[in-house]
Amino acid sequence: MPSMTVVVTGAGPTGLALACGLRAAGAAVRVLDKAAGPAVTSRALGLQPRGAEVLDRLGALGDLPERSVPIAHVHTYVDGRQLARLPVGQRTKLVTRPGLLMSQSEVETRLRDRLAVLGVQVEWGRELLDVRQEENEVVLRLGDGEERAAWLVGCDGAHSRVRKAAGIGFPGVPVVERFLLADVTARLPLPRDSVAVWLRGNAMLGVFPLPGEDVWRLMAPAPAGSGEEPVPVLTELLVKEAGVSPDAVREVLWTSTFRIHRRLASSYREGRTLLAGDAAHIHSPFGGQGMNTGLGDAENLAWKLALVADGRAEDGLLDTYEEERRPVAREVLASTSAMTGVVLGQTALARSLRDHVFVPLLNHPSVQRRLWEKSSQLTLTYRRGPLGAGRPFRGSGPVPGDRVPDRPCIRQDGTSTRLYAELRTRWALLAPAAVGAEHEVVARRYLGADGVAALTAAGRWGHVMLVRPDGHLAWHGTSPESLGRALERILSRGSGSTRSDRPEATGP
């Protein structure tokens, strides 16, 4: 194994996305997974708009939008009566693409396809047994011998062996003792463009349409004293709430029983070992944030680790990964735990507030818009992080750390493109007129000749923007010297401000 290789353990969405980002940026990467082959069960459901953006920037979105189930509404019933009809997927000023409801296995397939195009195949049946860190490398003990790598990233789930070997704590608490899932084929009197949720006391049932004829996901917390097999419990709830016959469920495709925990790794890095996805944080599935948060981890880490592995950045840049992403996970843990508490109504007071206050509020357009924009993950900003502006901005455009929306652009040769299509693990210099040669020279001096796309986009702003590979603003201003200083700060341990030399400039 080459000494500068990055090894990723875990071929789930997080590990595959990280490997795609690293390899596309030119890093040597291997992906190891202890399983014999790819999973075919659905597991996590769907992509929030930000998750779809990540796959788009990685070149792995493919035909997933066409293969997904379009969801228009979430219908919420309390004691058998519909109290809320929440529209989802509607365009807002912020959210311009819908969420996508599909199985996790579909996402993994597209990521594996993209990784194969980049020349990397997952190494199945490679179980990691232990890790030993040395000064300039990591020694991996596998079932068939030892191998060495420059960096190791654990994307190996909630029971991460990488995290345990690194001695990183994983404090937290259980949220739900036992949760039941089943994917079934059934003829149900429910619209295929909607999710249905029934609430009755401390009982809850959720029903989600999945791709395929009459395929549905059933989910519920296990009632006290119920058996170990999920299907009878879920079928009983379905009969009671949806009014179907007991034989409505024709085939069981997959089941799972698990305990919902809220846990956050005490650190995302120990020397040359890093964590991402469920290895770093786990939380309630309510809100559909898990897979999407892991994809965000992967994209954030990929461009930083690629620069470090290439020798263009000092390894202190990797500390900014935790500083930017751990607060995101902390907020997701808090919000999903709060949502779980509200939905499940674990006390009489909580149930009363849920049934008479929170559920009826879902009918208000302002509440609907805020919930949709929050769950989309597009409000996420790193402006308070080590690479951000660190302060509010009085203009209308983004500041360093903010997400830069996708937009039509023109390449230097005059051909049309999109910002996100050009990122693909590269950086982008974006200007309202032709990018000045001096800005391009400065950027490529630090990031490499192939590491920057120079683009023109229509806009009323008068400065140049440097956009990170993950779609967040790194710098904006007019001075090439200021651009150089910003890149020096980013690459030399990621410390210091990347504030613009024109803080009052109006953005696009």
Side-chain angles (χ1 to χ4, degrees), residues 368-390:
Q368 294 170 352
R369 184 177 62 255
R370 290 186 65 181
L371 283 174
W372 173 227
E373 292 187 345
K374 184 68 173 178
S375 66
S376 75
Q377 295 198 1
L378 298 183
T379 58
L380 188 154
T381 178
Y382 301 132
R383 65 167 60 182
R384 297 293 184 184
L387 305 180

Side-chain angles (χ1 to χ4, degrees), residues 101-149:
L101 193 62
M102 74 198 73
S103 92
Q104 178 177 323
S105 61
E106 293 272 7
V107 176
E108 292 173 354
T109 297
R110 296 306 171 277
L111 284 165
R112 284 196 306 273
D113 290 345
R114 174 61 175 157
L115 192 57
V117 169
L118 294 168
V120 178
Q121 298 288 339
V122 176
E123 299 176 40
W124 300 107
R126 306 296 308 280
E127 183 175 6
L128 178 70
L129 301 178
D130 199 7
V131 178
R132 183 177 77 253
Q133 293 205 54
E134 298 185 352
E135 184 178 359
N136 295 314
E137 61 184 0
V138 183
V139 181
L140 289 68
R141 183 165 68 86
L142 304 168
D144 53 359
E146 285 191 351
E147 299 195 37
R148 297 170 182 268

Side-chain angles (χ1 to χ4, degrees), residues 152-486:
L152 172 65
V153 186
C155 303
D156 49 346
H159 302 289
S160 171
R161 188 158 287 173
V162 173
R163 186 187 64 241
K164 294 173 183 176
I168 297 174
F170 202 41
V173 295
V175 177
V176 176
E177 286 299 317
R178 198 155 63 93
F179 206 75
L180 311 176
L181 297 179
D183 291 351
V184 303
T185 59
R187 291 194 178 277
L188 302 181
L190 300 172
R192 291 283 296 173
D193 66 346
S194 298
V195 172
V197 178
W198 285 271
L199 306 171
R200 190 183 297 272
N202 61 359
M204 168 262 175
L205 172 67
V207 179
F208 300 75
L210 294 179
E213 185 176 358
D214 294 333
V215 180
W216 303 85
R217 160 72 58 87
L218 311 179
M219 57 183 286
S226 61
E228 292 299 316
E229 173 57 40
V231 174
V233 176
L234 292 167
T235 300
E236 182 180 347
L237 287 169
L238 189 63
V239 170
K240 180 179 181 179
E241 301 295 357
V244 301
S245 64
D247 60 356
V249 175
R250 303 198 308 270
E251 182 182 6
V252 178
L253 305 176
W254 172 71
T255 65
S256 179
T257 301
F258 61 94
R259 177 183 291 186
I260 296 177
H261 283 262
R262 181 182 72 237
R263 296 188 181 278
L264 180 62
S266 56
S267 173
Y268 280 22
R269 179 189 178 192
E270 179 60 38
R272 290 180 170 269
T273 298
L274 299 107
L275 305 175
D278 287 353
H281 45 76
I282 55 173
H283 52 82
S284 169
F286 286 80
Q289 301 295 303
M291 178 168 59
N292 298 274
T293 304
L295 290 172
D297 289 348
E299 189 182 36
N300 185 286
L301 177 58
W303 68 265
K304 296 173 181 178
L305 186 51
L307 284 169
V308 172
D310 189 43
R312 292 186 176 275
E314 297 184 27
D315 67 8
L317 177 62
L318 298 178
D319 294 331
T320 71
Y321 160 62
E322 176 176 342
E323 291 168 324
E324 288 189 333
R325 292 301 301 176
R326 197 167 183 273
V328 174
R330 188 186 301 115
E331 195 280 330
V332 169
L333 264 66
S335 62
T336 56
S337 295
M339 183 183 300
T340 302
V342 169
V343 171
L344 298 186
Q346 295 169 329
T347 67
L349 176 60
R351 290 192 290 273
S352 179
L353 289 172
R354 177 196 68 192
D355 298 348
H356 301 291
V357 179
F358 293 121
V359 173
L361 276 175
L362 298 179
N363 294 306
H364 289 250
S366 61
V367 174
Q368 294 170 352
R369 184 177 62 255
R370 290 186 65 181
L371 283 174
W372 173 227
E373 292 187 345
K374 184 68 173 178
S375 66
S376 75
Q377 295 198 1
L378 298 183
T379 58
L380 188 154
T381 178
Y382 301 132
R383 65 167 60 182
R384 297 293 184 184
L387 305 180
R391 51 173 169 63
F393 180 54
R394 283 184 280 175
S396 59
V399 300
D402 286 350
R403 165 183 170 268
V404 179
D406 196 13
R407 64 195 65 200
C409 298
I410 304 296
R411 301 186 186 96
Q412 287 185 309
D413 64 4
T415 57
S416 298
T417 185
R418 291 185 300 114
L419 173 61
Y420 287 2
E422 292 300 311
L423 289 177
R424 299 279 161 92
T425 72
R426 294 194 295 173
W427 300 62
L429 274 172
L430 190 63
V435 175
E438 61 274 20
H439 290 92
E440 191 175 350
V441 168
V442 169
R444 292 184 174 175
R445 180 192 311 152
Y446 290 97
L447 303 172
D450 298 323
V452 184
L455 306 170
T456 303
R460 293 177 294 175
W461 73 102
H463 55 266
V464 178
M465 294 196 295
L466 179 66
V467 183
R468 299 169 10 170
D470 59 1
H472 286 260
L473 185 65
W475 168 90
H476 63 179
T478 57
S479 162
E481 292 76 19
S482 173
L483 171 59
R485 290 193 298 270

